[in-house]
Amino acid sequence: SHNGCDFEQALLALNELGYAVDAVILNAVHWAPQSRPRLFVVGQLGMSENARSFTLVSDARPEALAGFINSHPNIRWHIRDLPPLPASHTRLADIIEDLPDDDPHWWSKERAEYFMNQMSVKHQEQAREMIRRRSFTYATAFRRVRNDKSLAELRTDGISGCLRTPRGGSGRQILFKAGRGKYQVRLLTARECARLQGVPDSYVIDVPLNQALFGFGDAVCVPAVEWITGNYLTPVAAALSNRQSFAGGMK
């Protein structure tokens, strides 16, 4: 935003409140089959800028973010060394609900054909290749406006696109199931969206579909937050507690 100026001003505002800051970028794809990079900022009250003896570029701090940190010495940074991010082997097919062919979630033949006709030649060929396979495979799709025309674009790498809030219906992610000479189309279910956010199946979803899709589309991937808690917040809190205990003992 504004070539990083907005980010800079936000961090300087935290500095003015007494916080030294750190920043990481975590993509949900490290825990779930969803491409969802999100920026997280950690502020520590009353800390001074720390010297760094470790490599700044890492899984959690890609080159662009590391470059921003290095090029902004006017910001009071307190950077923590972090371990590599995990590798997830979960794919889109692993989180799909096995709905019968007559389930009302599946679109009508006419609506599915209309969806197919919205694809570009490239994506139609990808869809036909999926249809020709001997087993069913899955892809996700969004409708996007290209040159004032609504187009459906498939993602076929086993990873879903980023869940979004379904304002006006355009943010709803579409599931394309194909194989054995046929195909079916529907929206992702609320449970599938929950799984893409790392939410366990024990979590009760008792709201209308649109409300659930809005909530999950506006959420943060749960295991990503757990990773921050375990690898950043808890160690920092423990170190602070130890320092306070030591200071108390010295008295």
Side-chain angles (χ1 to χ4, degrees):
S1 179
H2 294 103
N3 295 316
C5 290
D6 291 343
F7 185 36
E8 178 186 21
Q9 291 305 309
L11 297 179
L12 288 173
L14 287 172
N15 284 171
E16 290 175 6
L17 292 172
Y19 291 91
V21 295
D22 193 359
V24 295
I25 294 177
L26 303 184
N27 193 330
V29 78
H30 288 278
W31 298 273
Q34 180 193 181
S35 176
R36 191 183 189 85
R38 289 295 183 267
L39 173 70
F40 296 86
V41 174
V42 178
Q44 294 188 57
L45 189 62
M47 299 293 287
S48 59
E49 185 163 359
N50 63 331
R52 298 189 292 273
S53 58
F54 51 87
T55 303
L56 193 56
V57 176
S58 64
D59 288 351
R61 295 188 191 92
E63 284 191 19
L65 179 56
F68 180 91
I69 293 172
N70 284 326
S71 63
H72 287 78
N74 58 319
I75 296 172
R76 189 165 76 255
W77 299 100
H78 194 88
I79 307 296
R80 183 176 180 83
D81 192 14
L82 295 170
L85 298 178
S88 173
H89 301 290
T90 306
R91 288 295 178 261
L92 181 64
D94 299 322
I95 63 93
I96 296 301
E97 291 192 278
D98 187 18
L99 303 183
D101 290 349
D102 59 354
D103 188 281
H105 283 85
W106 293 112
W107 290 357
S108 66
K109 179 181 178 182
E110 293 74 20
R111 189 179 179 187
E113 288 178 349
Y114 178 78
F115 170 79
M116 280 285 286
N117 291 331
Q118 281 189 303
M119 294 184 197
S120 66
V121 173
K122 172 186 174 182
H123 290 276
Q124 283 184 347
E125 181 52 39
Q126 288 177 335
R128 293 191 187 99
E129 197 278 329
M130 290 174 63
I131 293 170
R132 289 192 292 266
R133 293 177 184 173
R134 296 181 179 180
S135 58
F136 290 114
T137 56
Y138 300 89
T140 56
F142 277 117
R143 287 194 180 95
R144 304 183 188 275
V145 177
R146 306 289 189 190
N147 298 320
D148 297 324
K149 182 180 179 181
S150 178
L151 294 176
E153 297 182 353
L154 287 181
R155 178 163 183 161
T156 60
D157 62 352
I159 304 297
S160 81
C162 183
L163 294 179
R164 298 181 292 183
T165 52
R167 294 184 182 276
S170 62
R172 295 185 176 190
Q173 198 157 176
I174 299 165
L175 179 72
F176 183 76
K177 175 184 178 181
R180 302 175 185 175
K182 62 181 182 178
Y183 68 94
Q184 293 173 287
V185 186
R186 62 172 172 82
L187 297 176
L188 289 176
T189 66
R191 179 58 62 192
E192 289 163 347
C193 291
R195 291 170 178 171
L196 288 174
Q197 291 287 39
V199 176
D201 285 358
S202 58
Y203 182 83
V204 177
I205 303 173
D206 55 3
V207 296
L209 175 62
N210 199 59
Q211 187 174 345
L213 296 182
F214 193 98
F216 290 123
D218 208 30
V220 180
C221 184
V222 173
V225 177
E226 290 177 337
W227 188 89
I228 293 175
T229 300
N231 292 280
Y232 203 128
L233 304 183
T234 297
V236 167
L240 178 61
S241 178
N242 289 336
R243 284 199 299 269
Q244 291 174 340
S245 298
F246 178 77
M250 291 293 289
K251 293 178 181 178

